[in-house]
Amino acid sequence: MFSGGVRRQEAEDVKVEIEIEIEIEEENKKSATSTSTSTSASVRDNTVFVDDKYNIQASDSLANKALHLPISDAVPLYEQLLSNFPTAAKYWIQYVEAYINVNNDDAIKHIFSRSLLYCLQIPLWKVNENKGTEGQEETRKAFDFMLNYVGTDIASGPVWMEYITFLKSLPAMTAQEESQRMTLVRKAYQKAIVTPTHMVEQLWKDYENFENSVSRALAKGLLSEYQPKYNSARVVYRERKKYVDEIDWNMLAVPPTGSYKEEQQYMAWKKLITFEKGNPQRIDTASSNRRIAFTYEQCLMYLYHYPDIWYDFATWQAKSGSIDAAIKIYQRALKALPESEVLWYAYAELEESRGEIQSAKKIYESLLGNGVSVTALAHIQFIRFLRRSEGVEAARKYFLDTRKSPNCTYHVYVAYAMMAFCLDKDPKVAHNVFEAGLKRFMHEPGYILEYADFLCRLNDDRNIRALFERALSSLPPEESVEVWKRFTQFEQTYGDLASMLKVEQRRKEALSRSDEEGSSALDTSLHDVVSRYSFMDLWPCSSKDLDHLARQEWLLKNINKKADKSAWPNGACSIGAEKGSSGSSTNFKSSAPSAKVVYPDISRMLIYDPRQKQVTGPPPNIVAGLPSVPITGTPIPSVPSVNGGTTNPLQEILKIMPPALVEFITHLPAVEGPSPNVDIVLSILLQSNVPTGQTGQVATSPQQLPVGPSGSGSDLSGSNKLRPIPNESSFKPSRDVQSGKRKNSDRHEDDETATVQNRPLPRDAFMMRQIRKARGVTSSQTGSASGGSMISGELSGSTG
């Protein structure tokens, strides 16, 4: 125990019981290990099964196999498929049809009772029309039941028409029966025409014909009453169809894998639900809620394994006032996703929020009754629930029982200790819990740091230092980095200068044993001073100094290594990487750059300066047939060749270029800056007669080309060199060139035909080539730029 701290207190029940349980756990350690091994093996086997059972291709193959088997042999296959895909309508339909073929009515009813309410697809709900008079009433009830659930489906139009046809076929022996039949048909029509379905327009036409056939006088009033409702339904149908068309109705419900298709379907359903929640048809609240609930149910047929959809559905029901419906949704959700811990908490939260404490407690107990799958978080949340609902003693009792659980981690100790300290205002119990857990979790750096934070709140600096000493004496160097960091931070904040320097030196010595640089880590650097005298986001130096220090320290650490020049540290990012959560900076030793990051070779970078002096000098001819051109800007550096001489890299590249490409380069305009305007480059190219089949043929004379610096971001030499311009005269400054361009532009404004430079620049090079071909302008017709005058007007080879 700590010297000068709280001594061992045998009378404390918490501490005594914890120590007894620790001894029991030590004795049963071997048996727990073997049990954990067998459990892990079974979990792995189960995982393989889970992954296989959602294989869509294998499931479809199994369904096809069941089609060709007798019903007795096919039933186990169908049950297996439907246990994996309980909302797959196509498997339910196939299962029902298998029993229909053998006329097993009891089995058919049983299947419908299992599937209809949670598989809202029209094909599954359709019933065969019973033409016998004895079954007419049952058929009508079946239609009413079906339309009550799926009548709002956008694909329910055929069902409405079938229902109306059935009502019209009912026998009417008396006038009263005829009047009742007409009333039933009219009500069915009036419901159908206000439902946005694919056949809403056809239903409206049939309704008009029906009313006019009964009574034209009565039809006028009824049609005028329902015309606005029908128009609204038709508009909503068109909007709804846009969202429905994005949904894949043949998709099977599988756990999310993050694929693009799954994300698309998820967003499509979310958009449709949001659309329905907006009540675009402005119908009454009850009808709107039925549509929203129906949309959620259909969504769960495909997003069955998405917990957020279940939660949204239940939350919407609760906000709408349907608490019982929300509870049923949570129950279904936990049956579908029993491993989703967050849904258990959401369900318990709903019950607790409405005062149903016992119901919430049963939910927690059901979660904790899963055995191996129980997490430490579940224990912590149940302790907090018991503290809120039943008091301190219930929480304490459960904490003592939880220690017997094999999945009780140090988090449970920390949670209970901090609850006792902050809520119960009992630092003695909290201290005993931390101290008892230290015997079990001494190897956990996270537990050490939490215990240190607790002692900091008690202002127990003496015990804090003792805790760090005990922990660092047992932790291996590679696991003690964070503990050393926190120890150093504590001394820098609360210690004197001597203890501060001592702990820093000890930290360096301890970590240097496992560090590759060895003794170099023991050297004192300015980083240590920066670490000691910084606070939160306040630094004793500028950001440039931080960058410099990080760079120099990285160079020193790698001075004896064969480090790649391109792997430089990332500036100040590495300096503040180890800044503590409380704000104090403790260590600025930047780690080696990641091998996956490629850094630029900054030693070859040159800053662009448009004011740099231009050096002219005609180099030898680069390509046969091209004139000698001056090189502007800084001279191109020569590099040693293999044979011992020096070569110009730009010349070597241009020598192997096709003449047409060299011609294109010589026609690039003079611009200021590293990025020329793309439209101007395309304009110059389209006006030039670049040879395509001839070699060494020049389309324009050198005197007709603009001169000036031609800086480009794609410089061939790797530095900021200026491209050669085919002009043997001396270089003219770029400012004069721009002035000459403005004068030339002013001269052409008075001309009858505007040039390309004055018109909107062409953007479709293919169209321009087609225009040139259509006008008979080819590179073989002329050897100058006069061919461009057919397009550009005044621009020709004779200008200038």
Side-chain angles (χ1 to χ4, degrees), residues 170-184:
L170 292 177
M173 306 303 295
T174 63
Q176 183 179 1
E177 292 179 351
E178 178 67 19
S179 175
Q180 292 177 352
R181 184 181 66 177
M182 291 297 103
T183 302
L184 291 176

Side-chain angles (χ1 to χ4, degrees), residues 107-119:
I108 293 173
K109 291 180 180 180
H110 179 64
I111 293 174
F112 278 132
S113 65
R114 293 169 55 191
S115 62
L116 286 181
L117 296 182
Y118 306 121
C119 190

